[in-house]
């Protein structure tokens, strides 16, 4: 398999210039070149905390003469001409086109989502669209302003747990505290995720799995606090199922010694 490296700055510039074209003229096709697949972050949601997150985007295209170059960019907004966010290939990493056969190639590069540079507001935790571009060896070209690939950007979450006292007498009260926080792209800090249902789970010592004890709502600062009766040695944890803007997260376990 031949590998051809294409300068990342070029592909990034192609993506940026094409994204500047009004939406009514963005979708174009010249010749028999086709984009057959676009994959973002391996098909998984892109979860971003308060620092830069790198992920890959690949474009597969085909043309009888072969593929010279391909590029892609993520954008958010009602249309290309009125977007309020965009993410393009990292110029430093370059874009590599791997030839699948004489007609088809998959071009892959790195995209950086950074709350300090191109992801500065919480409203961008949403579904994004994908712009894709490809050019063949005989100069056929295709541009698709919204390729049908699902891409969701989410704000990273953290979840903690602390069961006390330890040790505890059987039948006495155990307080299980914790906090659910998530990245705030406006402030570049983590803050409480309030009024969210979080499951408290317990795994008895020697057991293979956890059992849900109750559901607790996170407080004004994302704080969690509830009580249970001490019954046996085991481990407590909190589990958050996630929302459209925030991924699921599970705390580490906190063991209790019941005497």
């Amino acid at each position: 398999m031949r590998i051809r490296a294409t300068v990342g700055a070029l592909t990034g510039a192609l993506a940026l210039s094409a994204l500047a074209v009004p939406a009514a003229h963005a979708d174009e096709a010249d010749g028999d070149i086709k984009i057959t697949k676009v994959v973002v972050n391996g098909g998984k949601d892109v979860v971003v905390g308060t620092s830069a997150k790198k992920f890959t985007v690949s474009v597969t295209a085909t043309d009888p003469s072969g593929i010279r170059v391909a590029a892609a960019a993520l954008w958010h907004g009602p249309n290309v001409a009125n977007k309020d966010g965009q993410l393009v290939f990292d110029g430093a990493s370059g874009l590599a086109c791997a030839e699948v056969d004489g007609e088809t190639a998959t071009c892959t590069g790195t995209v950086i989502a950074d709350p300090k540079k191109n992801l500065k507001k919480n409203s961008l935790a949403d579904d994004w669209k994908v712009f894709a571009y490809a050019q063949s060896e005989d100069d056929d070209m295709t541009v698709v302003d919204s390729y049908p690939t699902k891409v969701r950007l989410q704000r990273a979450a953290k979840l903690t747990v602390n069961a006390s006292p330890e040790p505890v007498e059987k039948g006495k009260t155990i307080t299980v505290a914790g906090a659910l926080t998530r990245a705030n792209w406006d402030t570049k800090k983590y803050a409480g995720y309030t009024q969210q249902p979080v499951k408290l789970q317990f795994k008895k010592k020697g057991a293979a799995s956890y059992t849900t004890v109750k559901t607790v709502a996170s407080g004004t600062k994302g704080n969690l606090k509830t009580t249970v009766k001490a019954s046996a040695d085991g481990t407590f944890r909190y589990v958050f199922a996630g929302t459209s803007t925030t991924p699921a997260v599970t705390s580490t376990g906190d063991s209790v010694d019941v005497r």
Side-chain angles (χ1 to χ4, degrees):
M1 179 181 292
R2 291 187 297 155
I3 303 292
R4 178 176 56 250
T6 303
V7 179
L10 171 62
T11 57
L14 285 170
L16 281 170
S17 61
L19 275 171
V21 176
H25 304 288
D27 281 0
E28 296 181 7
D30 179 16
D32 43 15
I33 186 171
K34 294 180 180 178
I35 295 172
T36 58
K37 183 188 293 186
V38 178
V39 179
V40 179
N41 196 37
K44 300 180 291 184
D45 293 337
V46 180
V47 180
V48 184
T50 55
S51 57
K53 170 68 177 288
K54 293 184 178 182
F55 59 95
T56 60
V57 178
S58 65
V59 179
T60 301
T62 186
D63 183 271
S65 70
I67 300 302
R68 177 183 299 162
V69 64
L74 277 64
W75 60 274
H76 182 269
N79 54 57
V80 173
N82 296 287
K83 59 190 178 296
D84 60 0
Q86 64 182 27
L87 303 173
V88 300
F89 279 118
D90 174 27
S93 66
L95 180 69
C97 290
E99 197 174 85
V100 178
D101 54 40
E103 298 184 355
T104 305
T106 297
C107 303
T108 303
T110 301
V111 173
I112 300 178
D114 189 346
K116 296 178 182 178
K117 295 180 180 179
N118 53 19
L119 209 61
K120 294 183 177 182
K121 52 185 180 180
N122 292 328
S123 60
L124 293 177
D126 196 6
D127 291 336
W128 284 55
K129 298 178 179 65
V130 180
F131 160 88
Y133 165 91
Q135 186 175 7
S136 68
E137 293 288 6
D138 63 354
D139 292 327
D140 288 350
M141 182 190 73
T142 183
V143 176
V144 182
D145 72 332
S146 183
Y147 194 87
T149 295
K150 182 180 179 181
V151 182
R152 175 178 291 172
L153 269 65
Q154 295 183 309
R155 295 159 61 185
K158 297 179 180 180
L159 187 56
T160 61
V161 66
N162 180 46
S164 61
E166 301 174 45
V168 61
E169 184 179 339
K170 187 173 182 178
K172 295 295 185 179
T173 298
I174 296 175
T175 299
V176 187
L180 174 64
T181 58
R182 64 172 174 168
N184 186 319
W185 295 340
D186 293 326
T187 63
K188 289 43 172 194
K189 299 178 181 179
Y190 277 81
Y193 196 8
T194 65
Q195 301 302 307
Q196 297 301 311
V198 181
K199 292 180 179 179
L200 173 65
Q201 296 186 336
F202 179 73
K203 182 172 70 172
K204 188 176 180 180
K205 186 176 181 179
S209 59
Y210 282 87
T211 300
T212 298
V213 178
K214 62 174 71 174
T215 298
V216 183
S218 57
T220 55
K221 295 183 179 181
N223 53 295
L224 300 162
K225 188 174 183 180
T226 190
T227 59
V228 295
K229 294 294 183 182
S231 59
D233 291 353
T235 304
F236 287 97
R237 73 179 185 183
Y238 277 119
V239 178
F240 175 57
T243 63
S244 61
T245 61
T246 307
V249 62
T250 299
S251 73
T252 57
D254 190 21
S255 299
V256 293
D257 178 15
V258 178
R259 299 179 178 179

